[in-house]
Amino acid sequence: MAATLLNDSKGSSSSEESFSHLVEQKVLSLRRNIISERAEQIAEVVYRSVYVILEKVRELEPRFTVSEILKVGSYFEGTKINEIDEFDFLVVIKELSKPGAIHINKEPDVSFKGAIYSGPGLVQIKLQDDDLKIKWGKYVVDDYLTCFQQGSLDYEKRDLFGTFVLESIKKIAKSQHEFKDALYNPETDIEFYGGGLTLPSVSDSEQVILKSAEIKHPNTVLMLEYDGSVISVDLSPAIRYCPVEDCFEAGDCVDERLAATVIDRGSILLVAKRGNAFRITFTETEVEYMRDKIHGVHKLIYMYLKYIKCLYAKMKPGFQPFSSYVLKMFCIHHDINCTIKTKIVSKCLDEVLDLMAEYCENDELPNVFNKRLTYLYISDTESEFRICMLDGLRKIKELAVANPTQANFSKVIADVVEQSSSTVDLLRNRVLKEEDRRFRAEQRQRTANEPATFKGEKSSGRL
Ligand SMILES: [Zn+2]
């Protein structure tokens, strides 16, 4: 009797537990290649390769002397799944990160190529010290530091941070007589035919091959090959700034404790965006939060959501229902507000899904560090894909508990993702939405002159 009653409710405790177990086992299997000695070795080798390249950059352009190479991204925050295939680093520019080196102009209206960029997360930078002003003169336009690009807001100009990364690679290549194999375009990218460039960062037994390097301004992406794995490495120049209170209001943060950790850190990082606009980031606090502070159950849910999101994205090349970053924001929001006493994946996931549905309806998701920064500003086309994934996640849970084995769980996931995504035609929707927008704009223009019957006919024809 009791069992029947429990089964009639939202889910029996045993089905809640077995579903939680299924998700835990799934995430563990997705991290099999990540939690390994080999992965640690790859991370170490990649770091040393980056160090070697940045040392060369320092020789070529002392302005870009680096004081820290910060390990960020999902591998270092302990949420990477699937393969060990990408690493992100923030490269802290030493001179500009000294206390008092720069002054910031908060929430500027920044003009870039005719467009205005403005927002609570942006700042402009002025150099304080006279020596620095002279030294960095070519990177300053109208008193403001440009995003590490020479004397012009045209980002195709030379002397970007990335240009020096490419020049450094060229130097290393020349010394190895391998440059003849490279296709080199100083303003865009560098690619090696065939074998690639052997980086002299490690011992003979640990050969790292650089396959290509591409300036994506403001970051630079290197493709490395090590021990049979191809690894993408993202380098973004950054400036460490203090005091943190200059660009952070505790009241803007969604949680007092989180605000306290930002303030305790004592500095934040400014990352180049466009023109002379820099973005305020809380990357270090965020990495630390995801690595050490978030509840294990919520971290697991984040990885499960990322996994399902990737499956949906594979079904519709060029689209994804949510970015990993937005999923992370959902999980941190839930972590801060979770009231479930005995936390288990199943129950917390239900709450996270409710939260996601609520935000999708309102079309906005505040950044946990700054409520005035919101995400989810998206087209209607993508919102349908989001609802599709949310429905899919609920369906997966429902079907998985009927036969809680890993084999069935994998099958249920594959079937649900395939079936539910087949009901969404994003390309068709995009065309329809565009037509609809154009039609409505035309209709607004016509309102004054056209007879009402014509408008009525036209819109009913489109329904
Ligand atoms: Zn929870």
Side-chain angles (χ1 to χ4, degrees):
M1 184 68 182
T4 318
L5 277 176
L6 280 170
N7 283 329
D8 285 346
S9 67
K10 204 172 177 185
S12 70
S13 63
S14 67
S15 73
E16 298 282 353
E17 274 165 23
S18 56
F19 180 72
S20 300
H21 186 67
L22 286 174
V23 174
E24 282 162 22
Q25 293 303 309
K26 172 61 77 186
V27 171
L28 270 181
S29 74
L30 294 170
R31 282 180 56 76
R32 201 179 298 129
N33 291 332
I34 311 295
I35 307 172
S36 67
E37 265 182 40
R38 181 173 180 271
E40 278 174 30
Q41 194 183 9
I42 290 176
E44 174 60 26
V45 160
V46 166
Y47 181 85
R48 277 188 276 160
S49 303
V50 167
Y51 182 84
V52 164
I53 291 171
L54 291 174
E55 272 296 293
K56 209 51 146 182
V57 169
R58 183 181 61 82
E59 283 172 27
L60 287 175
E61 173 52 287
R63 290 182 188 85
F64 290 131
T65 299
V66 163
S67 52
E68 300 163 83
I69 305 170
L70 299 174
K71 298 169 177 174
V72 296
S74 59
Y75 176 77
F76 296 114
E77 71 179 17
T79 61
K80 183 89 183 82
I81 53 168
N82 295 325
E83 296 302 319
I84 190 98
D85 54 6
E86 57 178 32
F87 289 92
D88 298 330
F89 297 97
L90 284 181
V91 172
V92 180
I93 308 298
K94 187 176 179 183
E95 268 183 353
L96 302 177
S97 301
K98 286 180 182 159
I102 60 167
H103 172 78
I104 59 164
N105 181 22
K106 273 193 281 186
E107 299 187 28
D109 284 335
V110 184
S111 171
F112 178 65
K113 288 190 171 179
I116 300 286
Y117 292 91
S118 164
L122 298 181
V123 294
Q124 282 173 314
I125 293 176
K126 270 188 181 177
L127 301 176
Q128 286 291 76
D129 182 89
D130 284 339
D131 289 344
L132 275 185
K133 280 182 193 165
I134 295 166
K135 198 169 175 188
W136 286 82
K138 73 172 178 174
Y139 293 99
V140 173
V141 175
D142 298 335
D143 271 359
Y144 291 109
L145 183 72
T146 58
C147 290
F148 311 113
Q149 60 206 29
Q150 183 189 3
S152 158
L153 296 187
D154 183 349
Y155 79 99
E156 280 109 15
K157 274 274 183 186
R158 291 197 57 171
D159 287 0
L160 308 167
F161 167 77
T163 313
F164 290 103
V165 174
L166 262 55
E167 290 284 350
S168 305
I169 292 165
K170 192 177 162 187
K171 279 253 181 303
I172 297 169
K174 265 186 175 166
S175 65
Q176 289 187 35
H177 309 289
E178 288 185 71
F179 186 60
K180 59 182 175 359
D181 293 330
L183 170 71
Y184 179 68
N185 179 343
E187 283 170 6
T188 52
D189 57 8
I190 187 166
E191 192 171 341
F192 292 89
Y193 296 124
L197 169 70
T198 310
L199 286 176
S201 56
V202 284
S203 66
D204 289 344
S205 59
E206 295 178 323
Q207 202 183 38
V208 183
I209 310 287
L210 176 71
K211 308 293 282 184
S212 68
E214 187 184 356
I215 301 178
K216 292 199 166 176
H217 188 65
N219 52 332
T220 303
V221 178
L222 312 174
M223 292 302 288
L224 303 181
E225 190 183 294
Y226 173 74
D227 190 23
S229 294
V230 176
I231 303 142
S232 148
V233 180
D234 191 305
L235 304 178
S236 295
I239 299 172
R240 186 179 285 290
Y241 180 81
C242 59
V244 68
E245 287 84 355
D246 280 2
C247 31
F248 175 73
E249 296 272 343
D252 286 341
C253 191
V254 295
D255 180 64
E256 275 178 28
R257 285 161 304 166
L258 192 60
T261 51
V262 172
I263 290 168
D264 285 350
R265 183 167 286 283
S267 67
I268 48 102
L269 294 158
L270 304 173
V271 176
K273 188 173 170 68
R274 274 197 194 92
N276 58 24
F278 285 75
R279 200 161 47 84
I280 300 168
T281 70
F282 304 95
T283 314
E284 287 174 292
T285 308
E286 205 177 282
V287 169
E288 184 192 43
Y289 192 91
M290 292 307 287
R291 196 185 54 218
D292 306 327
K293 296 193 172 162
I294 193 168
H295 193 283
V297 162
H298 303 150
K299 195 192 234 184
L300 215 88
I301 290 172
Y302 171 53
M303 289 185 268
Y304 174 64
L305 292 176
K306 271 207 296 183
Y307 168 64
I308 301 293
K309 180 268 286 191
C310 289
L311 296 180
Y312 273 97
K314 266 188 204 156
M315 303 301 290
K316 304 280 175 193
F319 293 94
Q320 61 172 356
F322 297 93
S323 69
S324 296
Y325 193 77
V326 162
L327 293 176
K328 191 197 292 181
M329 284 293 133
F330 282 125
C331 293
I332 299 180
H333 274 287
H334 172 76
D335 190 63
I336 288 165
N337 297 307
C338 180
T339 52
I340 295 169
K341 269 208 167 118
T342 313
K343 297 190 195 324
I344 67 166
V345 171
S346 176
K347 285 186 180 167
C348 286
L349 178 64
D350 284 345
E351 291 213 347
V352 173
L353 295 184
D354 288 345
L355 188 71
M356 289 166 79
E358 189 186 311
Y359 280 124
C360 283
E361 213 164 279
N362 300 332
D363 228 17
E364 74 170 23
L365 167 69
N367 183 298
V368 288
F369 298 103
N370 185 350
K371 285 181 279 191
R372 292 185 300 142
L373 266 180
T374 59
Y375 300 95
L376 281 192
Y377 177 73
I378 46 148
S379 67
D380 301 342
T381 323
E382 285 157 318
S383 77
E384 201 177 326
F385 202 18
R386 292 184 167 173
I387 305 291
C388 168
M389 174 170 146
L390 291 183
D391 290 346
L393 281 158
R394 291 199 172 99
K395 190 86 191 156
I396 288 167
K397 183 177 171 187
E398 196 184 304
L399 296 175
V401 289
N403 174 12
T405 61
Q406 274 303 314
N408 180 59
F409 189 40
S410 300
K411 188 175 179 313
V412 162
I413 290 172
D415 289 350
V416 169
V417 170
E418 195 182 340
Q419 277 168 21
S420 65
S421 60
S422 69
T423 63
V424 184
D425 187 343
L426 293 168
L427 290 172
R428 183 179 149 271
N429 285 350
R430 181 186 273 176
V431 173
L432 284 179
K433 299 286 180 194
E434 276 167 12
E435 278 178 7
D436 194 43
R437 245 194 311 275
R438 207 178 308 128
F439 169 71
R440 274 184 274 162
E442 283 169 13
Q443 200 184 32
R444 275 197 299 277
Q445 276 188 337
R446 284 196 197 117
T447 308
N449 309 320
E450 298 281 337
T453 46
F454 175 73
K455 279 180 281 173
E457 277 163 21
K458 185 94 177 174
S459 45
S460 63
R462 297 190 54 80
L463 286 171

